[in-house]
């Protein structure tokens, strides 16, 4: 273990203790982007179909999500490169290429689905051409990500996180039997059916998703490069104590907000849609429209508006994580802090991924209907990525993981693996 207290140039003149909003960064944005329109659709479908019967999955997934995201952040901050770059350096090209390809395909499908859901959500609020709204959202998101200065863009993303609290408002507007919710969280009504197991994998695949690993690691690298005093911890071990404390706080709070919002969405739809016999929700827009009938116009408006805000937060994360992964795989210059002419291929992937996502909404293929299955596939794909992630810790020199964090990381990997195996077995024996 590195002695971070020795020969620390930064200790000669200690900087002011950063404010909480300054500490919150990669973890906050990563966690908030997890509640995108595809996630909202998944939690809404689970709440509508099973009521409170799967609410227990979110408290369970919280410590597991914190562990794997903190490990991701540590990999980026210690090595100074993202997960894809570490894969390229330490694993065969075939392994790195397959993982990046799966990530790219999944992200593009999610982009298309989220854009479609945002267009549908805006159409609910302002009647008009949904496809035009999809195009405008795609142009706005890609334009901001490509042409806005990184530090300003991060500030915009942080403010967009406030849109998540629209779902807290919804939860307290409708009547929720909190004692019943608590009982089903503590004593869950587990059913070994195909639908129930698939729903578990969908929830876990939404909360613990590969693109989140790549994004948080890359944002640690970006923030380190933006700060002239910071260096990868392998080169500046004396910065480790402060940085690891910041990463932990950022991740704990960011994932807490993410899971709490998901929990509120699930119980809100369970208390309204499931309670009124509405058990099939294909999209987040469907959930908003159904809420109008059973919970009133205010809840409908807040739910639909929140969907647009969270979509604007998620689109750059999906496109950006794909671009970082592809760029590091091919050794291109990467970074949102770079000007477009200095990272043409990197920004080209962002533009292309967003453009294809927009284009999916103009084809007979309806990406929005695939949201639930996308979450299931993410749950299956996360397992091999997490196994490799846990082995990536071995490349971090003397920066060994704390025992508790390592144990939680492996438990998280095992839980995702068991859920995936149970789902596959249920398919075989169906």
């Amino acid at each position: 273990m590195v002695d971070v207290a020795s020969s620390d140039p930064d200790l000669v003149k200690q900087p002011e203790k950063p404010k909480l909003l300054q500490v919150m960064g990669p973890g906050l944005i990563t966690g908030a982007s997890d509640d995108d329109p595809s996630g909202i659709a998944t939690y809404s479908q689970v709440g509508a179909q099973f009521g409170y019967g799967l609410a227990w999955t979110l408290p369970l997934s919280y410590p597991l999500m914190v562990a794997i995201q903190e490990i991701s952040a540590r990999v980026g901050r210690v090595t100074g490169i993202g997960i894809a770059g570490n894969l390229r350096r330490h694993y065969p090209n075939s392994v790195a290429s397959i993982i990046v390809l799966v990530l790219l395909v999944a992200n593009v499908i999610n982009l298309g689905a989220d854009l479609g859901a945002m267009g549908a959500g805006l159409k609910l609020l302002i009647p008009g051409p949904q496809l035009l709204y999809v195009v405008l959202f795609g142009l706005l998101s890609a334009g901001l990500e490509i042409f806005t200065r990184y530090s300003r863009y991060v500030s915009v993303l942080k403010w967009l996180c406030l849109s998540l609290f629209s779902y807290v408002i919804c939860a307290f507007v409708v009547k929720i039997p909190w004692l019943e919710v608590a009982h089903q969280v503590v004593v869950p009504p587990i059913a070994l059916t195909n639908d129930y197991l698939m729903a578990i994998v969908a929830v876990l695949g939404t909360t613990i998703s590969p693109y989140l690993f790549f994004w948080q690691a890359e944002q640690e690298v970006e923030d380190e490069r933006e700060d002239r005093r910071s260096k990868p911890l392998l080169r500046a071990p004396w910065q480790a104590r402060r940085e690891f404390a910041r990463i932990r706080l950022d991740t704990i709070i960011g994932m807490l907000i993410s899971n709490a919002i998901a929990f509120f969405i699930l119980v809100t739809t369970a208390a309204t849609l499931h309670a009124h016999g509405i058990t099939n929700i294909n999209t987040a827009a469907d959930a908003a429209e159904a809420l109008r009938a059973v919970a009133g116009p205010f809840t409908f408006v807040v739910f639909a508006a929140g969907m647009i805000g969270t979509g604007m937060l998620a689109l750059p994360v999906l496109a950006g994580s794909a671009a970082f992964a592809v760029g590091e795989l091919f050794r291109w210059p990467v970074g949102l802090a770079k000007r477009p002419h200095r990272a043409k291929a990197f920004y080209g992937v962002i533009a292309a991924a967003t453009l294809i996502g927009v284009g999916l909404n103009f084809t007979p293929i309806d990406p929005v209907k695939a949201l639930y299955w996308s979450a299931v596939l993410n749950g299956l794909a996360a397992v091999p990525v997490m196994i490799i992630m846990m082995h990536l810790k071995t490349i971090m020199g003397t920066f060994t993981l704390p025992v508790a964090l390592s144990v939680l990381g492996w438990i998280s990997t095992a839980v995702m693996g068991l859920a995936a195996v149970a789902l596959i077995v249920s398919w075989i024996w169906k």
Side-chain angles (χ1 to χ4, degrees):
M1 181 71 70
V2 169
D3 179 10
V4 296
S6 61
S7 62
D8 182 351
D10 291 344
L11 291 179
V12 176
K13 184 178 180 180
Q14 286 283 1
E16 288 185 19
K17 192 173 182 179
K19 297 178 181 179
L20 181 60
L21 190 58
Q22 294 173 324
V23 171
M24 300 302 295
L28 174 65
I29 295 170
T30 301
S33 69
D34 194 26
D35 294 319
D36 64 334
S38 64
I40 294 167
T42 299
Y43 302 133
S44 298
Q45 171 59 33
V46 169
Q49 186 174 359
F50 298 99
Y52 311 117
L54 278 165
W56 60 271
T57 57
L58 291 163
L60 171 69
S61 68
Y62 172 63
L64 308 181
M65 188 182 185
V66 168
I68 202 69
Q69 291 300 143
E70 183 177 338
I71 292 169
S72 304
R74 283 174 174 248
V75 168
R77 188 65 184 85
V78 169
T79 64
I81 56 175
I83 292 172
N86 277 297
L87 287 175
R88 176 179 53 77
R89 287 187 179 185
H90 301 282
Y91 287 85
N93 284 337
S94 57
V95 173
S97 298
I98 290 171
I99 290 174
V100 170
L101 178 62
V102 171
L103 177 77
L104 179 62
V105 171
N107 282 18
V108 169
I109 292 173
N110 264 347
L111 275 166
D114 283 353
L115 283 162
M118 292 165 67
L122 185 56
K123 185 179 179 180
L124 291 175
L125 298 174
I126 306 174
Q130 179 177 328
L131 290 177
L132 176 61
Y133 293 157
V134 168
V135 172
L136 292 176
F137 280 132
L139 290 173
L140 178 61
S141 176
L144 286 172
E145 193 163 13
I146 295 170
F147 298 109
T148 304
R149 181 176 173 79
Y150 175 71
S151 57
R152 181 174 296 176
Y153 188 56
V154 169
S155 297
V156 171
L157 293 181
K158 286 182 180 180
W159 281 109
L160 280 173
C161 293
L162 293 175
S163 62
L164 292 172
F165 289 96
S166 60
Y167 299 108
V168 179
I169 296 171
C170 289
F172 286 97
V173 168
V174 302
K175 294 181 179 179
I176 295 175
W178 290 108
L179 288 178
E180 182 183 347
V181 174
H183 180 265
Q184 295 207 30
V185 168
V186 177
V187 187
I190 295 175
L192 299 178
T193 64
N194 181 270
D195 288 345
Y196 194 86
L197 292 172
M198 187 166 65
I200 292 174
V201 177
V203 172
L204 292 176
T206 302
T207 56
I208 303 175
S209 192
Y211 78 88
L212 301 175
F213 314 155
F214 284 80
W215 176 262
Q216 189 163 351
E218 290 289 0
Q219 290 312 288
E220 286 294 335
V221 176
E222 287 281 281
D223 285 355
E224 174 260 309
R225 290 174 180 169
E226 279 285 279
D227 187 350
R228 294 181 179 179
R229 298 171 301 174
S230 297
K231 298 179 179 65
L233 298 183
L234 285 176
R235 293 166 49 197
W238 55 84
Q239 297 178 355
R241 182 179 298 167
R242 182 178 66 244
E243 290 301 304
F244 286 159
R246 176 192 57 77
I247 286 171
R248 174 157 295 179
L249 179 62
D250 182 22
T251 305
I252 286 173
I253 296 177
M255 301 311 132
L256 178 61
I257 292 172
S258 173
N259 276 40
I261 298 302
F263 188 84
F264 283 125
I265 293 170
L266 191 153
V267 298
T268 298
T269 51
T272 52
L273 307 185
H274 181 80
H276 285 79
I278 302 172
T279 59
N280 188 29
I281 295 296
N282 290 320
T283 70
D286 286 348
E289 187 65 73
L291 282 170
R292 175 166 22 201
V294 301
F298 178 76
T299 303
F300 154 75
V301 170
V302 172
F303 195 96
M307 183 170 62
I308 295 168
T310 58
M312 285 303 298
L313 178 63
L315 294 180
V317 175
L318 287 163
S321 59
F324 276 116
V326 173
E328 287 196 335
L329 180 66
F330 290 104
R331 304 185 185 188
W332 298 336
V334 299
L336 293 171
K338 293 184 181 296
R339 294 186 177 181
H341 69 278
R342 294 187 177 275
K344 294 178 181 178
F346 168 75
Y347 285 113
V349 173
I350 291 175
T354 306
L355 179 63
I356 295 171
V358 169
L360 287 176
N361 289 274
F362 287 83
T363 68
I365 301 171
D366 187 351
V368 179
K369 290 184 178 179
L371 287 176
Y372 191 73
W373 279 100
S374 175
V376 173
L377 292 175
N378 266 331
L380 295 174
V383 179
V385 177
M386 291 170 73
I387 291 172
I388 291 175
M389 279 278 302
M390 292 307 298
H391 282 290
L392 276 180
K393 67 182 185 180
T394 61
I395 60 98
M396 295 197 291
T398 52
F399 288 101
T400 56
L401 291 177
V403 174
L405 183 58
S406 182
V407 169
L408 271 177
W410 279 114
I411 291 175
S412 178
T413 305
V415 168
M416 291 294 289
L418 287 172
V421 169
L423 178 62
I424 293 170
V425 170
S426 73
W427 284 341
I428 294 172
W429 290 96
K430 187 175 179 181

